[in-house]
Amino acid sequence: MLISLWRRVREARRLPLLPLVMLLVVLVIPAVFAPLIAPHSPVEGNLNDRLLPPFWVGETIGYKTVVEKVNRENRLNEILLKDAERRIKIGDGTITGGGQIVQVGDQLEILFRKEGSTKYLLGTDKNGMDIFSRLIYGARLALVVSLLGIVVSGILGSSLGIIAGYYGGIWDTIIMRLVDISLSISLVLIALVLAAVRGPSIDNVLIVICLFLWSRYARLIRGETLLLKSQDFIARAQVSGASDLRIMYKHIMPNLANTIIVLATLQIGFVIILEASLSFLGAGVPRPNPAWGLMVADGRELLSNAWWVSLVPTVAIVLTVLSINLLGDWVRDRLDPKQRQI
Amino acid sequence: MQRFILIRFIQAFVAILAVSIIVFSLSHLSGDPLTTIMPMGDVEPEDIEALRVKWGLDQPLHIQYGVFLKNAVRGDFGESYAFGGQTAMGMVLLRFPATLQLAGAALVLTLVIGLPLGVITAVRKDGWVDYQGKAIAFLGQAIPNFCLGIGLMWFFAVWLGWLPTSGRGGIDHLIMPAFTLALFQVAALLRLTRSAMLDVLDTEFIKMARIKGIPEWKVVWKHCLRNAFIAPLTYFAIIIGSFFTGTVVVETVFSWPGVGQLAVNSVFARDFPTLQAVVILGSSIYIAANLLVDILYAYLDPRIRYS
Amino acid sequence: MKLSVLRNPAVLISILLMFLVACGSDSTTPTKAEPAAKPAAKTSSAAPTAKPKAADKAPVVQDNRTDKSLHVVITPMPQDTYLPWKASQSGHLVFRPIIENPATIKPETGVSKIYPQLFTSWEISADGQDYSFQIREGVRFHDDQWGEFTVDDFIYNVDSSTQEGSLTGCAASYKAFMGADSATQMKANGDLKVTDDYNFTMHLARPQVDLLSWWMNVLMVPCAQSFSSAQFAAEGESMYETGPSGTGAYQFTSRVLNEYAEMERVPYDHWRVNPDFKTLKISTVPEEATRLAMLLAGEADLADLSKAIHDSATEKGMVVFESPLPAVGLTILPLGQYQVSKVNYNPDAEPWTQTGETGRLVREAMNRAIDRAPIVNNLFKGRGVPMYNTTFHQTLEGWNDRWEEEFEAKYGYDPELAKKLLDQAGYPGDSNGNNRFKIEVRQSSLPGLPEVIEVAQTVMQSLQAVGIDAYIKETEFGKALEEFRDRHDAHYLLPVRQTIRPLAANMRIYYYTGPIDAEKGRPTRGVLYMESPIADRVYEQMLSETDMDIRHKISQELGDYIYDEYQTIPVVNIKATIVGNPDVVEDYSFGGVTGVFFNMENIKAAR
């Protein structure tokens, strides 16, 4: 029934429902209501609860450590043993970290069992932080970072693009060479250097995003401006004595609005992916911020024994970017169908 | 025409100069290489100072830049700090073929997959093929490439054992890294080609061709594609540029001994000479490629020359 | 493009596939459990770092030679070079199997005991300044034409590491105790006298009773190796790239910087050991997930993996080999105590830098606030051992058993007491006992110790729990190092990795400020942990003291000071581990106290 409903909605060419719902569920609602939804703090963990699986995952034997009887000479494993002996004495079979002690002859075997529980819906990471809560606060971060990055680079890039297109000549040359330069430098490396200079920070990520994106706006907008400039109504405005600023603001800008909105929508996904790549290289959002990219990057080597640490945020990223791109496509078809090449 | 080429050449040169200033000042801001290079705590201060003088790091920054530029023009970026006894340029050139191979393979994959898929999805609009194509396009642009790389490695190398996990070797070593690097661009090219094709398919000129009775495959693959190809072509410079950026991540994941990995290493080791060599060489290639495309365009389309 | 994409089965299948890829691994049953921890070695505590007279036991050459090859994957170091003197720490791992050193250590005893290797015996005079050495006869170079290892080769290798532009960690120290810029110059001065090819004496410019420990290959410094002087005379520097001839049990095959090094077993009977594996390849792979994948796919036989992913490997039947003794320590430094140089030193700047009672109470409170049990148990999974005092170690001189016995009473986890101590020190905070003072916790990943990230996080939370306003700042370690080495205004908590070395070496590295630079009016050496007049005095006394018992007592004074004043937050000592494929590798005993994968020629092949 749902499918037929969905089909009808789609064929009515109304708002694309599924991506929209998906976006609301994964990104917007968590971002807005984060403190209300999140059961735990996104930046505080408990080492005793590290790497617990999501609630639906049953018992998994995490690891087994065999401790020999205390050997004063080598002073090994003492805290572990003291703790174990104490627990055995009080008849409690478990030790910190969810381990279970089994006595085999002279040896103590400590079996660490990891079991999912509803306390941590989507499990915990290496710090023992709740992944669900981090995911929710991460949505907020993703939204803020990508919107800020896009707005700043959009304003900067569009203004420069209009100036280049409208004035032409030396302005055009300078701005377009700047575009060339920014496209030619490997900005991933610049991000790495920035992280080394200033320490990883959200500011750095924003700077790199802006450096990445402004040139794309500038390029596109310049081309559009060139086309607009040759049209009659601009010439008429010039003849009627309107100032350049006024022409750019009153006549060109409104005609570019659609293009800018389309480009901006399509870039959000790209920004989220970029942030993840920067985190992978160690130049992204600093710990312990709950950035999705950081969560994926920090759990990447755990794929085979604690897959949830990186897979859960990966799914969040994929779903978000997917639905944003779908929405972006729809927006473009609606507002600016000729910009298919974006 | 000659004047146009000359001006573009000068502009390209200025752009490379600007890149060199940016990378030079940024790298020198990133910290003292001697702290990273000299063993922790166990070096006498005189030894550090001697090295500082030897490498010219005691000079004011603008003088250092002058010396750097003078040597860089001759292709001499100095001795690598991290790879003692090797020149920075030597290290980059040593690593360059690996990156070129990877980027080249990715480019071929992009073209071989992206372009035909773009055409087919346009022709079979709203058909089964179209859906699959769009699925590839959207997923390809939604997965961070290091996730994809690690996932592929896990699936094809560890589980199935079909492909080697990493490193450079035969053609089998190339498949996963090249695919990882290519997927995002495959998606982009597919979307681009599809849109362009749809536009062209709608034109009178194609309708005429069909009416004339030219076989359908010929209409699509010859007449349409030739006209639709211009849009993806302009996108080409961006694809190439993004490959050199993408290799940084992909080379790290697949332990591919290329320039990208070298660049990451040089940032962490504060290996200024190597970092500068990598960035300037990479930018020069990109700028040169763009210059070539511009000139080609101007040659093909006289309007650009005079605008 | 239309939205029907999402109706598309391919999308769903792809997403599903991704889930499967990740989850499926979970369902595989553990095939082989990790074997019981190997019996740990018995070590004598506080053994002297140098043996006055070492007896040469005739080596028993065992022979289990196979035709197998061994592939080891490790984390790349930021530096890599063909030239041994052009790198401080890195490029040497790949040299280790092909060279030998005058003396060596064994994994079971660590640096507490030094064994002869290329030298068969040595004698030290009572004042610690005169040495006589005997070089082992009949140790040939890989390439027959370069003959045997003699005193000339020894002199060449020392010269090589002290030459101009040397980046090795030993150059300055060598020059200091040799009283000359090179061994050749020392010979010219008459301080190094060559009796014959295998016997020579040295008169040092200053007492240096632990001289032999400077000549081992495990201190992460590439000094006193065994390259051939004759080859160097014939081929020059290029020999290091094309095929240096050493004396080790493996000989050079090929090498590409920052990528791999290949070696093969010497074709003759080696005097010391005949390795089980015919060829040895050491590759550097930056990404940990990739190293794990290589191990599981059978491409690598030994992989350097962090403890967090040991399970992933052991579940698939891999085995963890661990060093018998802890290899590195993790300690946290409350920085800013430049008491000697007084550079950027303002004792009142921060609560923990204050002199006297206040500072001590604050530092004790910080120590009390941290629960070490989950760190040792959960983070290091039983491969951690509590650390009772920074820089000092149970197996080395200067150790005081009191530190361990009193640890629970003096350092034990007690947040309530921590709060009281802070009240007492004059930091009661607000009405709820919060916001007592601000402190920055630096977080930076350290090579070989990735868990430090989680430790910093835990420390921050623990301090917050007692009302200290702690926050994390992430920096690259190199940047932090630069700051506190140059005595910037560095006031923060810095978790650092501490290699367990002979005490004198560590004291020099971590505490010694050196003579005052007349021009700048401050100590010449950068300082890493803290500055203290006590540390300087103790180090200088130790240098000239040859009586081991007295040295032990002297150095204990510094240990007591650090311990009783709560100068650091000792956390944990960690055993070095490497994960291997049991089908290929049966056993690998390595590390000792330095954590370096050194004696690769002793890796046992599985049968």
Side-chain angles (χ1 to χ4, degrees), chain B residues 32 37 39 41-42 44-45 51 79 82-84 86 95 131-132 134-135 139 159 164-165 191 253 257 265 270, chain C residues 1 4 7-8 10 21 78-82 88 167 169 172 258-259 290 294 299 476 482 485 508 524-525:
Chain B
D32 184 357
I37 290 156
D42 205 47
E44 299 301 326
L51 207 64
E79 184 185 329
F83 303 101
Q86 308 289 310
R95 294 298 194 98
Y131 288 149
Q132 305 307 320
K134 279 186 274 188
L139 269 181
W159 279 14
T165 53
R191 293 174 69 169
V253 170
N265 186 77
R270 304 282 188 278
Chain C
M1 245 171 271
S4 40
R7 239 182 13 189
N8 180 356
V21 167
Q79 287 170 285
D80 200 8
T81 172
Y82 293 112
S88 53
L167 298 182
N258 215 20
E259 205 180 329
T290 312
M294 290 177 78
E299 288 171 29
E476 207 190 322
E482 188 186 324
R485 186 196 229 173
R508 182 184 167 84
T524 45
R525 293 175 58 86

Side-chain angles (χ1 to χ4, degrees), chain C residues 93-123:
Chain C
L93 182 64
V94 292
F95 284 135
R96 280 198 177 97
I98 65 171
I99 54 130
E100 291 172 303
N101 296 79
T104 189
I105 60 167
K106 287 185 178 168
E108 310 82 49
T109 45
V111 281
S112 62
K113 202 158 186 260
I114 292 173
Y115 295 89
Q117 196 171 49
L118 283 178
F119 289 6
T120 53
S121 68
W122 49 84
E123 271 173 60

Side-chain angles (χ1 to χ4, degrees), chain C residues 185-198:
Chain C
Q185 194 189 345
M186 206 182 168
K187 193 177 164 190
N189 294 346
D191 288 334
L192 191 156
K193 289 196 189 78
V194 177
T195 319
D196 58 44
D197 271 359
Y198 302 104

Side-chain angles (χ1 to χ4, degrees), chain C residues 160-195:
Chain C
S160 151
S161 48
T162 54
Q163 67 184 274
E164 205 205 319
S166 165
L167 298 182
T168 58
C170 50
S173 303
Y174 272 29
K175 288 177 191 170
F177 62 66
M178 292 194 306
D181 282 345
S182 66
T184 306
Q185 194 189 345
M186 206 182 168
K187 193 177 164 190
N189 294 346
D191 288 334
L192 191 156
K193 289 196 189 78
V194 177
T195 319

Side-chain angles (χ1 to χ4, degrees), chain C residues 461-500:
Chain C
Q461 285 175 217
S462 306
L463 294 180
Q464 283 173 349
V466 298
I468 298 173
D469 196 2
Y471 59 95
I472 278 191
K473 182 163 185 234
E474 203 175 322
T475 13
E476 207 190 322
F477 188 69
K479 196 80 183 164
L481 186 65
E482 188 186 324
E483 281 176 19
F484 70 83
R485 186 196 229 173
D486 292 350
R487 302 177 176 86
H488 286 221
D489 203 1
H491 294 136
Y492 44 77
L493 282 184
L494 182 76
V496 292
R497 167 201 160 102
Q498 185 193 318
T499 311
I500 302 169

Side-chain angles (χ1 to χ4, degrees), chain B residues 29-49 51-52 54-55 79 81-86 91 94-95 125-126 128 130-139 143 150-155 157-159 161 163-168 173 187 190-192 194-195 198 251-257 261-262 265-271, chain C residues 1-5 7-11 14-15 17-18 20-26 76-83 86-90 164-173 175 214 221 241 256-259 284-287 289-290 292-294 296-297 299 312 316 476-479 481-486 496-497 501 505 508-510 520 524-526 528-529:
Chain B
L29 277 177
S30 72
D32 184 357
L34 293 167
T35 317
T36 319
I37 290 156
M38 297 302 260
M40 184 159 138
D42 205 47
V43 176
E44 299 301 326
E46 306 91 78
D47 285 357
I48 296 184
E49 289 316 309
L51 207 64
R52 201 184 294 282
K54 191 184 165 208
W55 286 346
E79 184 185 329
Y81 296 170
F83 303 101
Q86 308 289 310
M91 278 312 284
L94 183 76
R95 294 298 194 98
K125 190 164 175 282
D126 291 331
W128 185 84
D130 194 21
Y131 288 149
Q132 305 307 320
K134 279 186 274 188
I136 293 174
F138 279 106
L139 269 181
I143 303 177
I150 293 174
L152 285 179
M153 188 194 296
W154 226 250
F155 193 75
V158 179
W159 279 14
L163 294 168
T165 53
S166 58
R168 191 176 172 216
H173 284 84
L190 190 156
R191 293 174 69 169
L192 214 62
R194 183 176 178 276
S195 316
L198 283 178
E251 283 179 10
T252 307
V253 170
F254 288 101
S255 192
W256 189 264
Q261 222 195 92
L262 184 72
N265 186 77
S266 64
V267 175
F268 289 125
R270 304 282 188 278
D271 186 357
Chain C
M1 245 171 271
K2 303 292 148 13
L3 299 163
S4 40
V5 172
R7 239 182 13 189
N8 180 356
V11 178
S14 317
I15 292 177
L17 207 71
M18 280 173 49
L20 280 175
V21 167
C23 313
S25 59
D26 195 47
M77 291 278 194
Q79 287 170 285
D80 200 8
T81 172
Y82 293 112
L83 309 174
K86 283 281 189 185
S88 53
Q89 306 183 343
S90 45
E164 205 205 319
S166 165
L167 298 182
T168 58
C170 50
S173 303
K175 288 177 191 170
W214 283 102
V221 284
E241 199 170 331
V256 177
L257 287 187
N258 215 20
E259 205 180 329
T284 54
V285 174
E287 184 54 33
T290 312
L292 177 63
M294 290 177 78
L296 297 183
E299 288 171 29
S312 323
K316 304 281 189 306
E476 207 190 322
F477 188 69
K479 196 80 183 164
L481 186 65
E482 188 186 324
E483 281 176 19
F484 70 83
R485 186 196 229 173
D486 292 350
V496 292
R497 167 201 160 102
R501 297 188 191 88
R508 182 184 167 84
I509 292 169
Y510 297 135
K520 292 176 190 152
T524 45
R525 293 175 58 86
L528 292 175
Y529 280 16

Side-chain angles (χ1 to χ4, degrees), chain A residues 3 6-7 10-11 13-19 22 43-51 56-57 60-66 68 71-80 82-83 95-98 107 112 114 126-127 129 192 195-200 280 282 285-288 294 298 300-308 311 314-315 318-319 322 326-327 329-330 332-333 340, chain C residues 1-7 11 15 18-19 21-26 30 33-45 287-289 292 296 306 308-316 324-326 371-386 388 394-395 399 401 404-405 408 443 445 451 453-455 457-458 460-461 464 472-476 479 575:
Chain A
I3 292 171
W6 151 241
R7 193 167 292 169
R10 194 190 71 81
E11 274 157 15
R13 279 199 155 259
R14 283 218 292 273
L15 214 59
L17 210 58
L18 193 58
M22 213 150 73
V43 290
E44 278 175 33
N46 181 351
L47 278 188
N48 286 333
D49 290 344
R50 76 195 295 256
L51 297 179
W56 67 84
V57 177
T60 320
I61 293 178
Y63 55 99
K64 190 168 90 173
T65 311
V66 183
E68 283 172 79
N71 178 349
R72 291 298 295 175
E73 277 300 321
N74 62 34
R75 299 177 170 93
L76 300 177
N77 295 322
E78 234 161 89
I79 285 191
L80 197 65
K82 269 181 202 155
D83 200 18
I95 69 164
T96 20
Q107 291 182 331
F112 286 82
K114 294 183 287 188
K126 285 193 278 190
N127 284 307
M129 295 177 187
L192 279 175
V197 176
R198 316 178 52 208
F280 170 81
V285 175
R287 297 183 188 89
L294 185 66
D298 269 1
R300 64 189 189 255
E301 74 277 4
L302 298 168
L303 201 62
S304 79
N305 68 327
W307 50 266
W308 56 91
L311 196 76
T314 304
V315 169
V318 171
L319 288 182
L322 204 62
L326 286 167
L327 273 182
D329 257 20
W330 179 81
R332 183 188 57 198
D333 287 349
R340 281 215 181 106
Chain C
M1 245 171 271
K2 303 292 148 13
L3 299 163
S4 40
V5 172
L6 287 169
R7 239 182 13 189
V11 178
I15 292 177
M18 280 173 49
F19 269 106
V21 167
C23 313
S25 59
D26 195 47
E34 191 187 326
K38 285 170 281 300
K42 188 182 168 179
T43 55
S44 54
S45 65
E287 184 54 33
E288 178 155 48
L292 177 63
L296 297 183
S306 69
I309 63 169
H310 279 176
D311 301 344
S312 323
T314 52
E315 274 172 13
K316 304 281 189 306
L325 289 172
D371 187 3
R372 292 165 172 84
I375 296 178
V376 176
N377 289 351
N378 298 338
L379 206 53
F380 294 102
K381 305 199 167 169
R383 297 186 202 282
V385 187
Y388 302 111
Q394 282 93 330
T395 58
W399 182 255
D401 279 331
E404 182 182 348
E405 283 149 19
E408 200 50 41
Q443 192 181 47
S445 49
E451 294 86 359
I453 302 283
E454 287 96 305
V455 170
Q457 173 71 28
T458 311
M460 177 190 79
Q461 285 175 217
Q464 283 173 349
I472 278 191
K473 182 163 185 234
E474 203 175 322
T475 13
E476 207 190 322
K479 196 80 183 164
K575 296 179 181 184

Side-chain angles (χ1 to χ4, degrees), chain B residues 61-184:
Chain B
L61 212 57
H62 63 275
I63 293 181
Q64 284 188 50
Y65 178 73
V67 174
F68 158 77
L69 199 64
K70 202 181 87 194
N71 294 327
V73 170
R74 289 173 304 180
D76 173 14
F77 287 83
E79 184 185 329
S80 163
Y81 296 170
F83 303 101
Q86 308 289 310
T87 63
M89 200 60 186
M91 278 312 284
V92 176
L93 291 180
L94 183 76
R95 294 298 194 98
F96 196 65
T99 298
L100 209 62
Q101 186 191 14
L102 180 58
L107 191 64
V108 170
L109 268 184
T110 307
L111 290 177
V112 167
I113 302 174
L115 215 58
L117 269 186
V119 175
I120 295 170
T121 51
V123 176
R124 301 255 179 277
K125 190 164 175 282
D126 291 331
W128 185 84
V129 181
D130 194 21
Y131 288 149
Q132 305 307 320
K134 279 186 274 188
I136 293 174
F138 279 106
L139 269 181
Q141 294 194 312
I143 303 177
N145 59 2
F146 69 92
C147 297
L148 179 70
I150 293 174
L152 285 179
M153 188 194 296
W154 226 250
F155 193 75
F156 288 104
V158 179
W159 279 14
L160 300 176
W162 290 353
L163 294 168
T165 53
S166 58
R168 191 176 172 216
I171 197 92
D172 49 344
H173 284 84
L174 193 59
I175 297 173
M176 285 194 294
F179 183 75
T180 309
L181 188 57
L183 187 64
F184 188 89

